[in-house]
Amino acid sequence: MVKHAFAHIRHWVFDLDNTLYPPKARLFDQIETKMAQYMMDVLGVDRQTADHLRSTYWREHGTTLAGLMTHHQIDPLPYLDAVHDISLDHLEIDHDLAAYIADLPGKRIVYTNGSAPYARRVLKARGLDQVFDEVYGVEHAEYHPKPERRAFEQVFAQADIETHSAAMFEDDPRNLAAPHEMGMRTVHVAPDAAPAPHIHHHTDDLTQFLQQLQ
């Protein structure tokens, strides 16, 4: 029974993009366009090269930003401001999701590979800005990205997360490997399941999943 599996959980960690809002909002389409344009402007490459580097760095380094910092020594702050300057018009307030998150016992945080200011904008647009205790972005991990274990360790230390009584909700299955190793309950939130030993649960509807925990 799902509820029983979470009976010991007192620390709740939620990813942001495509986790706390549905993928159909397609915010990442806008972000990827902004990433490509930033790379074209800063690196002096064409769109095809920018798209190739963007996807390659994401795959090999965890985020495009991590690849850009490693290979091109870019300043992360202007980059984060530029790529997150997007419209949130497609987001809708979800009162049910807000209520179920607010009812979770213990501490509730957001941890994203994006920036914390961007995360707060998204949370407000979803009506979730009052249900989390803290919001952490990639800057809180010294720009080390999920799925690196050291990134989780840095953020969890700041947030005072006890991993053996914690759960992680995330749309990218690779970002659940380290939390699983650290003793967390892992939930893959995505339209399609990606069965793996480090994933305890899958859901294509976060609101419905959290309803089962009440």
Side-chain angles (χ1 to χ4, degrees):
M1 185 176 178
V2 173
K3 185 175 181 178
H4 177 73
F6 288 81
H8 66 297
I9 302 300
R10 292 297 179 271
H11 296 85
W12 308 83
V13 183
F14 291 83
D15 174 51
L16 181 76
D17 289 307
N18 294 330
T19 299
L20 289 174
Y21 64 80
K24 67 181 181 181
R26 304 192 72 84
L27 295 192
F28 242 83
D29 288 359
Q30 296 184 66
I31 292 173
E32 288 177 350
T33 297
K34 294 278 188 175
M35 288 178 178
Q37 186 61 55
Y38 191 88
M39 295 166 74
M40 291 165 65
D41 294 341
V42 172
L43 303 182
V45 298
D46 60 22
R47 178 60 186 266
Q48 183 177 3
T49 301
D51 284 335
H52 173 72
L53 291 175
R54 175 180 54 76
S55 61
T56 299
Y57 291 164
W58 177 85
R59 185 176 62 254
E60 295 181 353
H61 295 275
T63 60
T64 300
L65 172 60
L68 288 170
M69 292 179 68
T70 298
H71 297 288
H72 307 280
Q73 295 75 51
I74 73 153
D75 183 345
L77 293 178
Y79 170 87
L80 288 170
D81 288 343
V83 303
H84 291 133
D85 183 20
I86 63 170
S87 170
L88 303 181
D89 290 346
H90 294 298
L91 295 183
E92 299 177 352
I93 290 176
D94 191 330
H95 295 292
D96 289 339
L97 179 58
Y100 291 134
I101 292 175
D103 284 343
L104 295 172
K107 190 170 191 175
R108 303 174 299 275
I109 74 167
V110 171
Y111 172 32
T112 174
N113 268 342
S115 69
Y118 162 70
R120 293 190 182 95
R121 286 182 58 218
V122 171
L123 293 174
K124 185 173 183 179
R126 288 284 281 158
L128 302 175
D129 49 320
Q130 300 299 314
V131 301
F132 290 102
D133 298 294
E134 296 162 6
V135 177
Y136 294 88
V138 68
E139 63 269 37
H140 292 98
E142 298 179 352
Y143 303 102
H144 298 300
K146 299 182 280 185
E148 292 183 20
R149 178 163 175 156
R150 63 178 167 175
F152 289 99
E153 290 174 343
Q154 286 182 280
V155 168
F156 292 167
Q158 294 172 64
D160 197 23
I161 297 296
E162 298 174 2
T163 56
H164 288 280
S165 61
M168 179 84 196
F169 296 79
E170 166 75 56
D171 71 298
D172 188 342
R174 64 182 179 165
N175 291 346
L176 291 170
H180 181 271
E181 291 176 357
M182 299 167 75
M184 298 177 72
R185 201 80 191 163
T186 57
V187 184
H188 181 216
V189 183
D192 299 313
H198 64 272
I199 295 175
H200 293 122
H201 308 274
H202 168 263
T203 182
D204 61 1
D205 188 328
L206 179 60
T207 302
Q208 185 179 66
F209 186 87
L210 295 178
Q211 184 180 21
Q212 300 177 63
L213 305 185
Q214 305 302 308

